[in-house]
Amino acid sequence: MYTISEIAKVVDISAHTLRYYEKEGIIDPIRNESGIRQFDEQHVQWLKFVKKLRETQMPVSQIKEYTRLFLEGEHTASARFRLIEDHQQYIRDQIDILLTTDEMLTKKVATYKELMQKSLS
């Protein structure tokens, strides 16, 4: 079991973010008899997944919706599938944009290098 500060380090997110996720219903920590939050390995895996979703710009509202659907049970699998599939397409679209932008910038860099070489001559 992890305390809030321990799991924050393991997952590399702030304790403040963990409290926010709890408030939003994205995570439901175990409470010991003293009311102190505790987290297990399932929480670690879930938070790593949530962190990746946030890193790839999934809005908290969609993560909340995914969480709600997950907690409702297996009959929501198709809705969860669509949500994740849509996000995957968003990521792929962003990758395409980044790749074409990188190509454009590579050409610009080459142009400037050539220009600077000529000015040194």
Side-chain angles (χ1 to χ4, degrees), residues 28-50:
D28 186 21
I30 302 162
R31 298 277 184 162
N32 69 13
E33 56 279 347
S34 301
I36 296 171
R37 293 174 185 89
Q38 294 184 314
F39 302 87
D40 60 18
E41 283 302 318
Q42 285 184 314
H43 289 110
V44 170
Q45 295 310 309
W46 174 250
L47 287 166
K48 286 180 177 181
F49 177 63
V50 168

Side-chain angles (χ1 to χ4, degrees), residues 1 10 15 19 26 29 32 37 54 58 67-68 85 87 102-103:
M1 295 296 249
V10 168
R19 289 184 196 97
I26 293 171
N32 69 13
R37 293 174 185 89
R54 288 296 300 136
M58 180 180 273
T67 303
R68 184 188 66 74
E85 186 179 47
H87 188 64
D102 184 56
E103 288 173 21

Side-chain angles (χ1 to χ4, degrees), residues 49-58 63 84 87:
F49 177 63
V50 168
K51 182 180 177 189
K52 285 297 175 195
L53 294 176
R54 288 296 300 136
E55 287 174 344
T56 56
Q57 308 306 309
M58 180 180 273
I63 296 171
I84 293 300
H87 188 64

